Every structure is written in structure tokens, then in C-alpha cells.
Amino acid sequence: MSIFWRLQNSPKGYPASYVFSNPHMIAFFLRHPARQALPCLLLLFALTSCDRVSSRMEITRTREISQYETKPKVGAYAQERFGDERLIWQTPEGWSQAERSQMRPVNLTFGPSREGECYLSLLPGGGGGVLANVNRWRKQMGQPEITEEELAKMPKKTLMGIEGTFVSIEGAYTSVGATESKPDHKMLGIVAAMGEAGLFVKMVGPKALVEANSQAFDQFVTTLRLRMPQGQ
Amino acid sequence: MSASAKSLPAKIFDLLSSYGLAIVVLSFLLIITYFGTLSQKDIGLLDSQAKYFESWFLIHDWNLWGMIVPIPLPGGALLMVLLFINMLCGAVIRIRKGLRTIGVLISHIAIMFMLAAGFVSFIYKTEGAMPLFEGQTSDQYQSYHERIIEIRSWSADGKGGSTAMVIPMKHFADLEPGRARTFFAKDLPFELQVTGYRRNANIVQASEEEKSAIDGYRIQPVANAKEDEANTSAVEVSVKFKDGSEQRGILWEREFEPFTVKAGDLSYTLALSRMKWKLPFAIRLNDFQRELHPGTMKAKKYTSHVTKITDGREEPKVVTMNVPVRDQGFVVYQASFSQGTSGEQSVFTVASNPSDQWPLWSCVAVAIGLVIHFMMHLVRFLSRTLKPKVA
């Protein structure tokens, strides 16, 4: 039987082990070294070195995951993935970074049980304007709405280079989606309009805790800024 | 039998077993070693190895007084295969076998064994880095050069699968912009189209008008670094779901988090990273020490005190320069260190090579063969010299 026939009909693409583990093959090489051994060797090298790449390929390789491997964040958004935070800020001492989202690109917590929260949000449509947002916040704190005149008299603070309305509200806080309110809470915030977009920083938590962190709030707001785009 | 009466296979055998071929092959090996060594300063070690020593043919650009002259040359792979065949035919099959040639035979078989060691190493060797901070444990090492696209599945409660699907670099490294390839697997609810591979790239913000923009970013190609370890690859992927919908993403070696797509209750993360291999044991770095030459920042000695953990059994070990830890076919060397804000990091090189010790054995065998051969010549010479001459 020809050595070529054997190679062509061996399973799984002619592995070298098939040839070298078969006693008939070894005997063949020993009997006819000069006549056929060399073409066979050349063929063997050619066959074992082939790895065909086509336009559609099945994924066949896997690797085992180590128990020591750091778990990646599932669902990270583009800025997080590329380390390209367009926002820069300093997290005040004692505060922690909480999980961020598209709605809360900066999300911080503070307090012994991290019960205080402070976050930045950007709304492309502005959320109805400054007054509507201030009144929405007041409603969350169980307070009555204010008028345009009252809004105009409210103190101002600069948020990322834009003058915004500073809000300080005390009351019973009902967070979005909650059915029960939390008494004796306080909210500090800045509502700024950037063209049609709305820019908000909101800090809320138990009254004593928020008051103890009001300087940290100012520090956070002062350091918050946009990173300049990368060079192209 | 006259030469003209010989059959074609016999003529080919004569050619392949000839001294002439041996001289030609060894001369070309000398030439490509010279050119390959010099080219390392221009194109780096990895590319130089691939171009000169792992190729079948190559074109060497010879700089002749400022003029580039392309010289076609046989590659190292072709030359070493020819050398192996030449020695097999000439020095093993054709050689007269007997006591007088035993030394030569041993030496030639040993050299063939060394060539085989190189082939086995080329196919099966894995080598990579394992960086560890003090107190950190790991049981895997990461390739210096082999990039992969890795797909992992995650359940709704955040539990990841025990294995990751891997697309090796050789299946996507040729996909420059304009070329694409689709990958599929029976366990994947989507097909993955890969295109626009760049060996070295940055990711930059893109305006919404740019066609190549994906999630507000695009790949910006950068000139390749000489040392491949410094390159950070990037590639574009398009996840094509069975319902016809599509989600595009950019994968980048230096990204902090992987690209995620959702399919039903499962999430899938896709990442471009370097291949990682798992060890059958874990290494925990307990203490890292370094000594510098007095008055310099040049390292005199690095020493890592580690614990090797095998199936829960802990064993203290010391890894230092030229004193690696060996176990189950893996060798852990002390490679370097780095100093960062998180403290000192010891960097180990881990290698697995089935033919690790073969060159040593073949060198010993070559030496034994040559000693036998020369001793026999000496004995014959002495016996002839000392033999009383007949008047």
C-alpha cells in the first residue's frame, strides 16, 4: 500500500503522530529510504504546516478562566472602556464612587452607610427648563412649587463654567420610584442650562449628614470640569 | 550504475544527500543569520525572527551606499528543513554504518535532534509574563505577542462562564481596513464580523459625521513600535444577531473594560487581549527584594519569595535571577520588576516548552559522538605510528 494513500486517507488531516506511531509506516521508511522517504517527509512538512483561513470560520479554541482573574465590568459604556472620561473631578475625602450610568456619569456616595448621594446628570433636552427641574426637586422633598420670580431671587453658583441656580431644600425626601418618603432630609443642588441641555448636580441625604458635607459639595462642584478633546 | 541510468527519485536522493547541498544550506544560514541579526535594530526582534528565521522565502533590502537592493533569499524554515533532510539522507541513511562511523552518526543524529527541538519549540512553546504585586496570587501567564479576541458569557446575576471562546491572532491579523471575516460558534447566538485590524493604534474621539465613528470613537493608526510588546492593537467588530440586528464596537488592547452585547438573558463581553495560559499551580508573591549596584539604579539582583500552591498544598520557593522554579513542565523565571503607585511589582516570565532540555541533550550527544570519532582516529593513528615497520 502506498505511503501517499495512507497519508491521504488518515483521519484529522494527517497528524504527524499518525505516521510516526504506526509500525507499518516506520517499517516502510526503513525499507525504502532512498525512494520514497524524502517526498514523504516533504509532504509531511507541507501538511502539518497548513492552517487555512477562510472568510467564515468557526471558533474552536477556548481558554479556561482563572479563579484569580479580575472580573471585568459587564455593560461598561464607551468612555469607561477607553479610559476617556470627558469629565474630570476630585472626589472629596471620605466620599466614594458608586456605579455610574449614562444618566449619572458621575455618581458619588458619602456617609457612614453611604446613605448620602451626590451625582451629576446631563439631559440633552433640558428636562423642561430650570424652573421645572427646581420644582420637581422641591416636590421630591415634599415642598410647594415656586414661581419664576422666586426662582430669579435664588442664589447662583457656577457649575462647569456655567452660572446655575443653587437649590437648598429640606423636608421628607421621596426618591424616584419610591413609595415612602424619608423624613428629615436635605437636598443641595445646582441646575444650569447649557443651550437646550440641562446640567444638574444633586446632593441628597439625611439633613445632618448633608450639612456636614456642604463644603465637600462645593469642593466637588469647583473641581468638576470637561476634559479637552484628544488631539486628532 | 551510471548517473544517467539512475531513476528520478534516486537522483533527487543524491542531490539531497550531497555535500554540495550541505555547503549551500550552511552558507545561506550564515548569510540570513548575519542579515537577520542586523535587522533587529531596524525592525525589532519579533519581526526579524519572523522575516528571517521562521519564513520559507524572504526579500532582504540591502542598503548599498544609500541604494536599496532587494535580494531574494531562502528563509530560515526552508534552510533548516533542507539541512535536516540533508543530514538524514547523507549522514544517517547513506553513510556506511559500522564501528568506524559510529561517532559521526551519533553527532549527526544529535544535530538533527537539535533541529527537531527547534521545530517542537516553534510549534508548542508558550511563553509569557506573570506580573504580581506583593500579596497577589495568580495561576496564569500572558503572552508577550499573541493577541486574541476573547468572548465570554455572563448570566443575568453576573456569573461568568468557566471558559472563554478564543479567536487566535492568525485568524484576524490580516484583516486590514476593507477586509472582513465572520466568526461563528454553535453556542453563540450571534455571528461576529471582524475588520480593520491595526497592530498599533490609539482610540480617539470622533465627530458624529465620521463614517468610521463607533460610539463616538474611532481607531487612529500609529506607527508600529520596534518592540512588539509596546504595540497596542485595535480592531472593529460587528455583532450580527439572528434577528438581523447589528451592534458595532471597537476592541482595543488597552481598554479598561470589554465591549458588551446582550442576547436574551445573557450578556457577552468581547475583548482584544493577549493570550493567557493557565498553570497547574498558583504562585503567590510574598516578598520582593532587589539589590542595586552601589551608586547606580542598575539591578544587581532581584529575588522573589513566593509560595507555590498546588491543589491547596503550599510550598515556599525562592525565584531569583538564573534560579527559576520548575514544575510540571513549566518554568517560572524572575524577569524584571516595576514600581507603581500600588507598590512594587515583580514580573516573572513563565515558559512551557516540551523541548526545553533537548538542545542540552543534543549538545552532550554531539560531544560524545565527536569524542568517540576523534578517539578512534587517535587510536588508529597511534597504532599505525607505533606499529613496527617491516624492513
Side-chain angles (χ1 to χ4, degrees), chain A residues 33-35 38 41-42 45 51 53-59 61-66 68-69 71-76 78-84 86 229-232, chain B residues 13 16 85 88-89 93 137 139-140 146 150 152 154 158 162-164 166 168 170-171 181-184 191 203-205 217-218 220 250 255-260 267 276:
Chain A
R35 284 194 161 202
L38 296 172
L41 270 173
L42 287 172
F45 274 110
D51 186 8
V53 175
S54 60
S55 61
R56 273 179 63 79
M57 296 190 75
E58 185 171 6
I59 305 168
R61 274 178 74 177
T62 57
R63 79 167 182 92
E64 201 181 337
I65 304 296
S66 163
Y68 301 103
E69 207 165 314
K71 187 188 164 195
K73 182 178 177 184
V74 179
Q79 288 97 324
E80 272 182 293
R81 292 184 54 224
F82 301 131
D84 175 34
R86 298 181 197 200
Q230 295 176 20
Q232 301 296 299
Chain B
F13 180 77
L16 292 176
I85 292 169
L88 176 69
C89 297
I93 295 172
T137 309
D139 62 354
Q140 63 181 7
E146 193 189 344
E150 185 174 279
R152 292 181 68 181
W154 302 85
S162 59
T163 57
V166 167
K170 61 188 172 186
H171 291 171
R181 188 167 295 129
T182 302
F183 297 91
F184 62 95
E191 291 193 344
I203 303 300
V204 294
Q205 293 172 13
Y217 293 89
R218 66 175 167 81
Q220 183 188 52
I250 292 174
E255 67 192 11
F256 291 97
E257 305 294 351
F259 173 55
T260 307
S267 294
K276 296 184 190 84

Side-chain angles (χ1 to χ4, degrees), chain B residues 24-37:
Chain B
V24 169
V25 167
L26 290 170
S27 302
F28 273 119
L29 271 174
L30 187 71
I31 291 167
I32 65 159
T33 304
Y34 177 73
F35 285 144
T37 307

Side-chain angles (χ1 to χ4, degrees), chain A residues 20-144:
Chain A
F20 293 119
S21 63
N22 188 326
H24 297 292
M25 292 283 181
I26 295 165
F28 179 86
F29 274 101
L30 293 175
R31 276 201 311 274
H32 308 282
R35 284 194 161 202
Q36 294 189 41
L38 296 172
C40 291
L41 270 173
L42 287 172
L43 181 66
L44 188 68
F45 274 110
L47 292 172
T48 52
S49 61
C50 279
D51 186 8
R52 291 178 186 86
V53 175
S54 60
S55 61
R56 273 179 63 79
M57 296 190 75
E58 185 171 6
I59 305 168
T60 53
R61 274 178 74 177
T62 57
R63 79 167 182 92
E64 201 181 337
I65 304 296
S66 163
Q67 60 170 313
Y68 301 103
E69 207 165 314
T70 312
K71 187 188 164 195
K73 182 178 177 184
V74 179
Y77 54 92
Q79 288 97 324
E80 272 182 293
R81 292 184 54 224
F82 301 131
D84 175 34
E85 296 298 350
R86 298 181 197 200
L87 294 162
I88 304 171
W89 71 93
Q90 277 180 16
T91 304
E93 201 174 325
W95 288 25
S96 313
Q97 293 202 30
E99 190 166 344
R100 291 176 286 170
S101 64
Q102 291 286 10
M103 290 298 292
R104 294 186 181 191
V106 181
N107 195 13
L108 307 171
T109 56
F110 56 93
S113 311
R114 304 178 76 182
E115 60 272 53
E117 60 177 8
C118 182
Y119 59 87
L120 171 83
S121 55
L122 297 128
L123 287 178
V130 175
L131 181 64
N133 280 292
V134 170
N135 280 331
R136 190 165 51 81
W137 286 4
R138 290 184 65 81
K139 193 177 171 188
Q140 281 185 327
M141 297 301 290
Q143 299 299 323

